[in-house]
Amino acid sequence: MLNSPGGSVTDALAMGRLIREKRFATEVGAGKYCVSSCPLVFAGGVDRRAAEKATIGVHQMTVMRSASNGPPRDEMSVAQNISARCQRYLGDMGVSLQVWVHAMETPHDRLFVFKTDELKSLNLVTAAAGAPVNSPKTLPNHPGERRDP
């Protein structure tokens, strides 16, 4: 059950891949929220459920400057690399890349909140909230999902 304002995109990608590797389901309950980088974690679920009153939203990422006195970074290059990693990840999870388009079109100080029908049409949600979780033998096939032989 997720309820998060987001955080590090890199950490969200790692958590989402771990969730997929472990074949866990993800869910956002009624009155709960999953915003900013949290939908990347949510996308890792083999089964992804959101209650009707759940809030799932995205926006542009912000590249934070390092406090260290290390060599200067090209923030644009860093942002583009992270963006490419997010797109590859969403594709691997079977989620429409339109999710990422909404994120990149929404300023970092605003939030694009998905409507229930959008969550389903973009394949961000794969099952109705409260629906039983599929057993490992009946998992749905998601494009890019690796399965052990």
Side-chain angles (χ1 to χ4, degrees), residues 31-106:
K32 305 299 182 190
Y33 59 93
C34 179
V35 298
S36 191
S37 65
C38 180
L40 294 170
V41 176
F42 180 75
V46 175
D47 285 316
R48 301 181 291 270
R49 299 180 299 271
E52 193 171 318
K53 299 287 185 188
T55 299
I56 298 179
V58 294
H59 60 78
Q60 293 171 353
M61 59 191 160
T62 352
V63 178
M64 306 303 285
R65 287 185 179 256
S66 172
S68 72
N69 290 330
R73 299 185 320 172
D74 179 352
E75 277 83 11
M76 182 64 84
S77 178
V78 170
Q80 289 175 357
N81 179 273
I82 293 170
S83 184
R85 289 176 50 207
C86 291
Q87 290 174 63
R88 181 180 319 276
Y89 168 81
L90 290 170
D92 288 350
M93 298 301 125
V95 175
S96 168
L97 297 185
Q98 186 64 35
V99 167
W100 196 247
V101 171
H102 287 305
M104 294 297 92
E105 289 178 337
T106 306

